[in-house]
Amino acid sequence: MTRDADRTFIDHLMQLKDRDRGALAALRHSLSFSPGDYPRAFPHVERYVGKDWHANDARRLARYAVAGLYALHPVTHSRSLAAALGQLVRNKERPSLEFRFLALLEADADAVMAHLRQVVGLLAADGIGYDPAGLLADLCIALNERASPDARNHLRRQWARDFYSALQAEAPADSPPGAGAPTDASATVQ
């Protein structure tokens, strides 16, 4: 499947937010299971899975993971999840949140979802959005037990750059109120 297919999937999730709250509830509940194991999530995700992908294909698992995480916090923004978390740490001035990020970086394919649920829950509490399409691409590596160490390390370095860049960033003094607000027009600005 291509980037267009990924975008179609993300667009589908965004439409569920406005049209089918029951589907979002099922997808949120799917986070209690391993990605791709909750039958009530199948109707909302499986049609966007490649026909040749096996049950444990990281691309399939990533779709289920992103669907559940999006349902938990359906506020989007163009920044990566790591950059969103960096912004949260900067806003809250709670260094303990940095340790959660480091735990996410250290997580293997089996543990990454538990850390992501926590991180997205923290972002939801503050209304900070992230890019679900970018997370989808990242999780195709993070959930892939056969991903090379180089690929995993590249992803970790990218997340670290995004996080620490956002942590260090300061809003320009002349930026208008609401600058950096979520791209989803119905989202609440923090």
Side-chain angles (χ1 to χ4, degrees):
M1 297 193 105
T2 65
R3 291 255 184 221
D4 289 339
D6 292 348
R7 186 73 248 164
T8 300
F9 174 64
I10 298 300
D11 289 344
H12 164 69
L13 294 177
M14 294 172 133
Q15 290 174 1
L16 289 178
K17 176 184 170 190
D18 297 326
R19 296 184 182 155
D20 193 345
R21 304 296 280 173
L24 286 183
L27 293 172
R28 267 191 310 276
H29 188 68
S30 75
L31 291 172
S32 301
F33 299 83
S34 294
D37 283 353
Y38 183 57
R40 290 186 186 254
F42 294 170
H44 312 292
V45 179
E46 205 60 39
R47 69 187 72 183
Y48 299 96
V49 170
K51 293 186 183 341
D52 59 334
W53 299 354
H54 58 82
N56 291 320
D57 189 303
R59 297 167 295 181
R60 178 179 180 272
L61 300 178
R63 277 179 162 55
Y64 278 94
V66 167
L69 294 169
Y70 177 82
L72 180 62
H73 180 43
V75 176
T76 62
H77 194 284
S78 60
R79 71 180 145 244
S80 71
L81 181 93
L85 184 57
Q87 178 184 337
L88 176 68
V89 173
R90 185 180 76 238
N91 292 352
K92 291 288 190 183
E93 296 180 7
R94 286 179 42 205
S96 63
L97 294 173
E98 183 176 2
F99 294 117
R100 286 187 189 262
F101 175 69
L102 294 173
L104 173 62
L105 288 182
E106 293 172 342
D108 62 11
D110 292 329
V112 74
M113 281 306 299
H115 294 284
L116 285 171
R117 278 191 302 272
Q118 291 176 356
V119 165
V120 171
L122 291 167
L123 295 174
D126 271 47
I128 298 174
Y130 65 93
D131 176 18
L135 183 60
L136 179 60
D138 291 349
L139 289 182
C140 287
I141 297 168
L143 295 176
N144 187 347
E145 294 176 352
R146 290 182 261 178
S148 72
D150 287 343
R152 287 184 181 282
N153 287 333
H154 177 76
L155 178 60
R156 288 180 179 125
R157 285 189 301 270
Q158 183 61 53
W159 281 2
R161 278 192 301 272
D162 291 352
F163 175 85
Y164 288 105
S165 292
L167 182 62
Q168 302 288 330
E170 293 184 29
D174 62 337
S175 64
T183 56
D184 184 353
S186 65
T188 56
V189 177
Q190 22 169 344

